[in-house]
Amino acid sequence: MNLLNLKIRRLAFLLLGINASSCSQIGIANYSASASTNSSNCSQSAVQSAIDSAASGDTVSLPSCSATTWSSKVTIPGSKGITLDGKGSTITGAVDVTQNDRTSTRITNFNFTSPKSVYFHGTPSSATARLDHSKISGGDSSILVEVEGNAPVLIDHNVFTGGGASEMIHNYGTWDDSGWKDDVTPGGPNMVFIEDNTFNNTGASGNPAYFWGTSAVQSYYSARTVFRHNTLNMAQVDQHGTPGMVGARWWEIYENTFNVIENGNQSSYMSIRAGSGVIFNNHKAGAQNQGAGTIELVEEDSGYPALYQIGRGRNQSLDPAYVWGNDASMQVVSNSSNVQKDRDFYLFAKPNYKPYAYPHPMVAETSRLTWPIKSIPPINPKPLIEPK
């Protein structure tokens, strides 16, 4: 980055009243002064060496390689936040990110061709990490991305492709019930945001073309997930509440399009099995669904209230879910006696709820701070006239 760019960025932040610490607090990247490092090649050792030599805030770029296999993970430690730019490289391997507390880590512009290609580990106080503008693919029953720690993460503008019964993104939350003991701010920034992605299920074919329970995302263990403005081709959204396990805590699912292929048979567009949240303005597209095509709110344990069930919040207190404005063909159903309409969930808008800014501020901030230098109006070259 040249000196003029740095001065312009600093001036922009001053004019907006934004400093580095406030960036992380509102969920956007900390764009501190940075340098660019080019990996000598796409091998695991070369990329790791470039990451190890980079400082926090730097960008490490690959040289746009064809098919390359890594025998071990590339790791980005929590001591720094960097941008790792694949430049379109095709990689069979994985990137393991421990999130920094102040500076965001960004993984962008990769073509990953194997399961479990990206891992994010963090805490609620971590700076937001980002995975964007990449392609990630795997075979049947594939998990492609894993997130843990209830840290803020943004996953946007990617194409995910998996075979039948794939669970493309796993949000593991805190791996325990600690996330059920604190507050959630509906419409807040401290979530895993999954937006503007495409999810493809290659396992749906024939007549009928079953979707085999293929999921774009599955959330567990106190997880908080915002899933919005995505396109799903024969895939569902699943919020786990497996019997005897700690379920997902909070979800916001809206403005998504669920596409059904010819002869497609998809029993559910959403399988919601724990926690609370909002589901609204989702749409069905494509061919006629030969399956039920429901928004399912269900509990798999017995008794009322069951631990972590639909409509429960902090310390298992009543916190109803709200479902509204979805396409009429997306019927809301509950086959559980302990999940009841007008008690555990309501079919109208959640009072006082306001969605988080869309697009995510990190997307908007990246766009603003990477504009071409030629687009900036020239500074008046005339000298200042001193007052008399």
Side-chain angles (χ1 to χ4, degrees), residues 136-142 144 159-168 198-206 209-212 214-215 232-235 261:
I136 306 180
S137 59
D140 291 348
S141 304
S142 290
L144 304 179
V159 177
F160 297 94
T161 302
S166 289
E167 301 170 356
M168 300 184 207
T198 298
F199 297 87
N200 299 314
N201 172 10
T202 60
S205 61
Y210 291 110
F211 92 117
W212 303 113
T214 303
S215 298
L232 299 84
N233 296 307
M234 297 300 291
I261 65 173

Side-chain angles (χ1 to χ4, degrees), residues 14 18 62 64 74 79-80 90 118 162 179 212 217 270 313 377 382:
L14 290 173
I18 299 174
L62 277 65
S64 187
V74 162
S79 58
K80 65 182 73 175
T90 298
V118 181
W212 303 113
V217 59
M270 302 174 210
K382 294 181 181 180

Side-chain angles (χ1 to χ4, degrees), residues 7-281:
K7 287 182 177 179
I8 292 169
R9 292 188 180 196
R10 181 178 297 174
L11 177 60
F13 279 120
L14 290 173
L15 292 174
L16 293 170
I18 299 174
N19 57 36
S21 61
S22 64
C23 285
S24 60
Q25 291 171 3
I26 63 175
I28 61 176
N30 177 0
Y31 288 96
S32 55
S34 62
S36 295
T37 300
N38 294 321
S39 178
S40 59
N41 58 64
C42 285
S43 69
Q44 188 276 341
S45 58
V47 176
Q48 188 65 63
S49 177
I51 291 171
D52 293 344
S53 65
S56 200
D58 285 356
T59 295
V60 173
S61 297
L62 277 65
S64 187
C65 301
S66 58
T68 302
T69 298
W70 294 343
S71 59
S72 58
K73 297 176 186 176
V74 162
T75 61
I76 301 175
S79 58
K80 65 182 73 175
I82 66 169
T83 293
L84 183 62
D85 187 347
K87 297 294 185 182
S89 295
T90 298
I91 301 293
T92 300
V95 178
D96 193 307
V97 177
T98 299
Q99 292 170 238
N100 183 267
D101 285 344
R102 290 183 57 81
T103 303
S104 297
T105 286
R106 180 186 182 191
I107 310 299
T108 187
N109 202 11
F110 277 88
N111 179 16
F112 289 110
T113 59
S114 58
K116 298 187 177 181
S117 293
V118 181
Y119 299 75
F120 288 113
H121 317 271
T123 69
S125 62
S126 297
T128 303
R130 184 181 181 192
L131 168 64
D132 65 282
H133 294 91
S134 294
K135 298 177 181 179
I136 306 180
S137 59
D140 291 348
S141 304
S142 290
I143 301 168
L144 304 179
V145 173
E146 295 186 317
V147 182
E148 65 176 9
N150 269 353
V153 173
L154 171 62
I155 300 173
D156 68 285
H157 296 91
N158 304 288
V159 177
F160 297 94
T161 302
S166 289
E167 301 170 356
M168 300 184 207
I169 299 174
H170 269 197
N171 181 3
Y172 290 116
T174 56
W175 288 102
D176 57 25
D177 68 347
S178 60
W180 281 85
K181 298 174 182 177
D182 58 7
D183 288 322
V184 171
T185 301
N190 292 324
M191 316 270 188
V192 173
F193 284 83
I194 304 168
E195 65 182 57
D196 291 308
N197 302 283
T198 298
F199 297 87
N200 299 314
N201 172 10
T202 60
S205 61
N207 187 8
Y210 291 110
F211 92 117
W212 303 113
T214 303
S215 298
V217 59
Q218 296 205 359
S219 302
Y220 307 78
Y221 300 106
S222 312
R224 297 106 191 267
T225 305
V226 177
F227 190 89
R228 59 185 187 174
H229 296 270
N230 300 288
T231 298
L232 299 84
N233 296 307
M234 297 300 291
Q236 67 173 358
V237 175
D238 192 337
Q239 301 296 287
H240 257 267
T242 306
M245 295 178 62
V246 178
R249 168 70 190 282
W250 180 261
W251 24 266
E252 300 178 22
I253 306 166
Y254 56 92
E255 297 290 358
N256 302 288
T257 299
F258 295 79
N259 187 57
V260 177
I261 65 173
E262 192 70 28
N263 302 316
N265 186 310
Q266 183 166 343
S267 57
S268 58
Y269 300 118
M270 302 174 210
S271 181
I272 311 298
R273 300 186 268 165
S276 189
V278 295
I279 299 172
F280 63 96
N281 293 359

